Amino acid sequence: MDNRVEVREFLTSRRAKITPERAGLPTAGQRRVPGLRRSEVAALAGMSVEYYAKLERGSLAGVSAGVLDAIARALQLDDAERVHLLRLAHEADGSAAILRRRRPKQWKVRPSLQWTLDTITGPAIVGNNRLDLLAANHLGRAMYSDVYADPTSPPNFARFTFLDTAARRFYPDWELAADMTVANLRTAAGKDPHDKSLYDLVGELSTRSDDFRRRWGAHNVRTHGTGVKHFHHHIVGDLTLAYESLDLRAEPDLTMTIYTAEPHSSTAHALTLLASWTATTNPSTTVEIDHNAPKTNPRFAP
């Protein structure tokens, strides 16, 4: 990833989203560009136009935390966008490399991690920043049976969302699911712009999906922590599930996501039915990742 290009496109896209009205500025006169002008952002951030223009062109190396905070306030960045800007600045001056952890060439779920997943009564999964589905308990595997239909190992949520027609049925609000998927990948790219496997995936999806390519160009980021998701399972129907995502300290860049239903709700009853169904299938949940293996997927071949 070219850091200067990423900085320029991110700041430009954020500037385009802020209207003068939202920034509390007068709107007199015809405007050639959407959102704020560079001069307006500079004024709101308390710096010269020349200096802000230099920063927006990608020169974030050595920029102080105070300047970054002023830009974030002027552009009204949310928490996820602020963190993304800080990561871009750290990458520009090379300090991000100090915190970057090495990934093993192969990853296999530890027995203790699988035991932990299996003690959770609701659907539970483990994934990485690339949105690979690495491990699950039985109910999590049953809920994501459409994703597991991918014959490659490990299955990947982004490929499923943009290249598998089943995703349009599985996600009732597919547009929202697609937005969230790309924002998660863009956030991951900010964490590690040197992750070749991630950029191989981005390149594949950009080539094969106009929907993905358009969203990737929007430079939206998000924090995937908690919320509510809606699914339509091909066996038990509609599901409305709250989720909590937890970082795993022992594993770099891995997250455990646990889903729960409101007690006594229709979704809770549906999960009970799904648990009965998966008890008869009892599939294996262990996957291995070879980071040097080809990323082609025969199911999604053009």
Side-chain angles (χ1 to χ4, degrees):
M1 182 176 73
D2 187 325
N3 179 260
R4 294 177 68 92
V5 173
E6 288 296 313
V7 171
R8 182 179 70 246
E9 293 182 353
F10 178 67
L11 291 179
T12 301
S13 67
R14 299 311 93 178
R15 178 161 59 87
K17 293 179 67 174
I18 305 296
T19 63
E21 294 88 350
R22 183 174 164 188
L25 298 174
T27 59
Q30 187 175 3
R31 307 182 72 86
R32 295 182 179 179
V33 296
L36 298 181
R37 302 183 178 101
R38 284 180 177 174
S39 59
E40 292 169 329
V41 176
L44 290 169
M47 61 187 67
S48 70
V49 179
E50 293 76 17
Y51 184 54
Y52 176 74
K54 176 184 176 182
L55 299 180
E56 194 178 272
R57 287 195 296 268
S59 299
L60 284 189
V63 174
S64 69
V67 169
L68 293 174
D69 183 60
I71 294 172
R73 284 187 282 103
L75 295 176
Q76 301 182 23
L77 302 186
D78 61 24
D79 289 343
E81 291 168 330
R82 282 173 171 263
V83 171
H84 188 68
L85 178 61
L86 183 61
R87 286 176 179 143
L88 291 175
H90 285 327
E91 188 63 33
D93 61 28
S95 59
I98 299 174
L99 300 176
R100 197 170 295 132
R101 297 175 66 176
R102 293 182 178 181
R103 293 182 179 85
K105 291 184 177 180
Q106 289 191 330
W107 185 88
K108 184 176 181 179
V109 59
R110 288 176 286 104
S112 59
L113 177 56
Q114 188 62 58
W115 300 336
T116 301
L117 286 168
D118 291 340
T119 62
I120 299 171
T121 57
I125 62 173
V126 172
N128 58 17
N129 288 339
R130 189 175 174 269
L131 304 188
D132 291 324
L133 177 50
L134 303 180
N137 62 5
H138 292 311
L139 196 52
R141 192 175 182 96
M143 190 179 85
Y144 282 116
S145 57
D146 283 331
V147 183
Y148 274 109
D150 177 357
T152 62
S153 181
N156 180 271
F157 282 111
R159 281 201 186 98
F160 172 73
T161 301
F162 289 97
L163 301 180
D164 194 324
T165 56
R168 302 274 181 166
R169 185 260 309 152
F170 184 67
Y171 299 118
D173 190 345
W174 182 88
E175 296 287 341
L176 176 61
D179 289 344
M180 292 171 62
T181 297
V182 177
N184 287 336
L185 285 179
R186 177 61 80 175
T187 302
K191 291 180 179 178
D192 187 355
H194 304 288
D195 184 348
K196 184 179 183 300
S197 64
L198 172 59
Y199 276 90
D200 286 345
L201 175 66
V202 170
E204 175 192 354
L205 295 175
S206 296
T207 300
R208 301 177 61 187
S209 171
D210 291 338
D211 289 315
F212 178 87
R213 184 168 58 252
R214 183 177 65 255
R215 287 174 168 83
W216 184 255
H219 287 263
N220 292 329
V221 294
R222 69 185 297 269
T223 299
H224 189 74
T226 185
V228 176
K229 290 186 178 181
H230 301 277
F231 307 94
H232 182 82
H233 194 274
H234 65 282
I235 291 178
V236 297
D238 293 334
L239 300 171
T240 299
L241 294 167
Y243 69 90
E244 298 287 339
S245 291
L246 316 171
D247 292 335
L248 301 182
R249 285 191 175 185
E251 304 283 359
D253 303 325
L254 298 192
T255 301
M256 179 185 295
T257 300
I258 303 171
Y259 295 91
T260 56
E262 181 180 346
H264 311 299
S265 64
S266 59
T267 295
H269 294 306
L271 287 182
T272 300
L273 177 61
L274 189 59
S276 299
W277 174 72
T278 192
T280 64
T281 59
N282 194 29
S284 171
T285 56
T286 299
V287 298
E288 295 186 12
I289 304 174
D290 183 349
H291 290 287
N292 295 321
K295 296 297 188 283
T296 55
N297 187 331
R299 186 184 185 201
F300 301 129

